[in-house]
Amino acid sequence: LPQLQKMVESLAQKVDAIYIPIDPVLGLSENLETVIRVSDHWKIPIISMSGKYVKDGILMAVHCDFYGIGQQAADPIVQVLEGVDVRSIPSQTPLIRKLSLNLKKARQLNIMIKRNTILKADNIVD
């Protein structure tokens, strides 16, 4: 943890925002808490692809809907089971994307989020 704290402190002094991917190491509670605590100290917003991280205290996430991905996967699976050559099935990207915002964090960081953006959010932490 001390090494992670030093790395985040160094980064926070050089950037306007920090992006955290979905990561099994950074996503550990104690590691995420360290990143959030240091970023908050330096008033640096954190953005991710995990709606859960927004609940944990980051500013925002643009993320997929894993339930929706499961539903979306049904069609290609049916095609494979019906004997369609898998090479003929086009790859897909998630069709459903969600926006999660932490308005409490935005206030702490003195970041104004436009009303229009708030109205488009799927999940709001306040």
Side-chain angles (χ1 to χ4, degrees):
L1 251 68
Q3 185 178 5
L4 176 61
Q5 181 169 335
K6 287 178 186 176
M7 290 172 59
V8 177
E9 284 175 352
S10 174
L11 183 64
Q13 295 175 52
K14 301 173 189 170
V15 299
D16 295 323
I18 294 175
Y19 170 77
I20 298 180
I22 296 175
D23 182 273
V25 174
L26 289 174
L28 292 173
S29 303
E30 61 270 18
N31 292 343
L32 187 59
E33 287 171 15
T34 297
V35 174
I36 291 170
R37 183 175 33 79
V38 173
S39 297
D40 284 352
H41 173 78
W42 291 95
K43 302 288 188 201
I44 301 295
I46 302 172
I47 297 138
S48 181
M49 290 178 50
S50 172
K52 179 190 175 304
Y53 294 173
V54 174
K55 292 176 185 171
D56 292 338
I58 72 163
L59 176 65
M60 67 175 282
V62 176
H63 52 98
C64 60
D65 174 6
F66 288 105
Y67 181 79
I69 288 174
Q71 290 179 311
Q72 186 179 333
D75 185 50
I77 291 169
V78 168
Q79 290 180 49
V80 169
L81 294 174
E82 290 175 343
V84 174
D85 182 359
V86 293
R87 292 175 289 221
S88 70
I89 301 171
S91 63
Q92 298 182 18
T93 60
L95 296 176
I96 300 172
R97 291 184 183 85
K98 295 194 172 202
L99 172 62
S100 294
L101 297 173
N102 186 326
L103 299 181
K104 180 179 176 184
K105 180 63 67 177
R107 284 191 300 275
Q108 286 175 348
L109 298 174
N110 201 27
I111 294 174
M112 297 297 300
I113 299 177
K114 291 184 179 185
R115 184 176 189 273
N116 222 16
T117 302
I118 295 170
L119 292 173
K120 292 177 184 176
D122 298 287
N123 304 302
I124 296 175
V125 175
D126 196 12

